[in-house]
Amino acid sequence: MAMKIACAPCSWGVENSEQGGNPSWAKVLVEAREAGYEGIELGPVGYFPEDPAILASSLRVRGMKVCAGNLHGDFSSPGSKQEILVKARRVIDLLSAIGVDKLIIMDRANTARDAYVGHGVIAPRLKQEQLQAMISTISEVAEMAAEKGVRTLLHPSSGGFVAFSDEIASVLNAIPAERLGLCLDIGHLFIDGMKPEEFIRRYANRLEHLHFKDVDGQQLHNAMRDRCGMTNAFSKGLTRPLGEGSINFANVFKVLKDIDYQGWIVVEQERSVTQLDYVKVDMAKSRGYLAEHCV
């Protein structure tokens, strides 16, 4: 089990490249490297420079690698399809130009589902025609990426319409493994009432990328009680440095060893862009935890 450790801009509060208050991408690179990380995801489309020469040079100077690109969108909304495809082309072209072969796609949190985080039994589901439209959009992105040698990975995510066990299965059953792989997020699985180690084992043959976050159990209880949604929950401290929350990582490490996982582990600790004072300290804690317990 030889794993590579990366991080993601969401740990610096970067959820949208156009939102005010984002730290500069250069600051994120510097702090990530100083916290001990060798890789980073690109985050929302447009956050990092889209000129391949500039991006490659900036990474090389700081001794960093891009481990994957990201495409977050309203995949469950047919009206968003063209916007998603335009953004997909941008990030796929950039990944191809800098020699990165993974694109992580996620149906982001939406108003219909955000209040049902952790409530899998009562959360509303897509109608069949909506589900098929989402699967069609995902398939088109995956095909577009494959033409450029980029592998598309589905990221189930709390607050979106691919979050609970039945929804994950619906998408993976509809799109063959040769076209769509999987990125599991340990924290999102836990938040939505699933055991991460069970899903790692269940989908080991499609698992190619992992997101690691720890979750404060009391804050999760509060978020589920108050139906406050993911953004508010993150700003209230839902995620913690690895080892300081309620997730049993010993079980996760054991199953990763059992399946001989070889991909990237990407550490995340989402927060508001107004809460950046302790990002580097917290990210260093998580990196140290992995060094002590996993690699």
Side-chain angles (χ1 to χ4, degrees):
M1 185 176 65
M3 286 172 282
K4 301 157 287 187
I5 311 301
C7 58
C10 62
S11 297
W12 284 260
V14 180
E15 298 288 350
N16 186 317
S17 61
E18 299 173 358
Q19 71 185 14
N22 278 340
S24 71
W25 59 268
K27 172 183 173 67
V28 169
L29 275 184
V30 168
E31 292 196 351
R33 190 66 182 130
E34 290 177 347
Y37 294 85
E38 61 182 284
I40 194 165
E41 289 182 1
L42 289 178
V45 178
Y47 179 62
F48 275 96
E50 294 183 69
D51 183 318
I54 293 175
L55 180 57
S57 175
S58 300
L59 292 164
R60 184 171 58 252
V61 167
R62 294 167 177 84
M64 295 283 284
K65 301 175 183 177
V66 171
C67 62
N70 307 85
L71 181 62
H72 303 164
D74 297 319
F75 281 85
S76 54
S77 172
S80 298
K81 182 173 183 176
Q82 288 308 310
E83 177 188 355
I84 288 172
L85 294 179
V86 168
K87 287 188 174 182
R89 173 57 62 196
R90 287 168 59 187
V91 68
I92 290 166
D93 285 347
L94 178 57
L95 292 173
S96 177
I98 62 174
V100 176
D101 66 353
K102 295 291 189 296
L103 172 64
I104 298 164
I105 62 170
M106 183 178 80
D107 185 47
R108 64 188 172 197
N110 58 74
T111 54
R113 278 284 289 266
D114 210 20
Y116 292 91
V117 169
H119 295 282
V121 174
I122 62 173
R125 299 307 203 266
L126 292 175
K127 295 179 180 179
Q128 189 61 29
E129 60 269 25
Q130 294 172 307
L131 175 61
Q132 291 306 313
M134 179 173 68
I135 289 170
S136 175
T137 301
I138 292 173
S139 296
E140 287 194 40
V141 171
E143 182 176 355
M144 185 186 303
E147 291 173 354
K148 288 278 192 173
V150 176
R151 174 82 165 152
T152 301
L153 309 180
L154 175 71
H155 180 305
S157 180
S158 304
F161 276 106
V162 186
F164 302 114
S165 177
D166 59 301
E167 296 168 326
I168 298 169
S170 291
V171 177
L172 294 181
N173 289 339
I175 304 175
E178 58 266 23
R179 183 49 53 93
L180 184 69
L182 184 63
C183 166
L184 286 177
D185 187 306
I186 304 304
H188 283 288
L189 291 171
F190 182 84
I191 288 166
D192 280 322
M194 293 167 277
K195 293 183 178 180
E197 62 272 19
E198 291 183 2
F199 276 74
I200 291 171
R201 196 176 296 279
R202 180 182 306 177
Y203 292 112
N205 64 327
R206 294 183 79 158
L207 180 63
E208 301 177 35
H209 204 77
L210 276 169
H211 285 178
F212 267 34
K213 60 172 65 71
D214 210 344
V215 176
D216 185 300
Q218 183 59 54
Q219 289 298 331
L220 176 58
H221 170 80
N222 295 345
M224 292 176 63
R225 179 197 63 202
D226 299 338
R227 303 285 191 90
C228 68
M230 291 303 293
T231 299
N232 287 331
F234 286 144
S235 69
K236 294 177 180 179
L238 177 64
T239 54
R240 301 290 303 151
L242 300 183
E244 295 186 11
S246 301
I247 294 178
N248 186 337
F249 279 99
N251 290 342
V252 173
F253 296 145
K254 181 182 184 305
V255 73
L256 290 178
K257 184 176 181 180
D258 288 346
I259 69 169
D260 193 28
Y261 178 72
Q262 298 291 318
W264 285 89
I265 286 179
V266 180
V267 176
E268 297 179 327
Q269 188 183 340
E270 289 94 335
R271 69 191 83 206
S272 166
V273 291
T274 64
Q275 302 170 320
L276 302 184
D277 291 346
Y278 299 100
V279 175
K280 188 168 70 171
V281 172
D282 284 349
M283 295 303 288
K285 286 181 180 178
S286 291
R287 184 64 185 90
Y289 180 83
L290 286 175
E292 181 178 356
H293 293 89
C294 183
V295 293

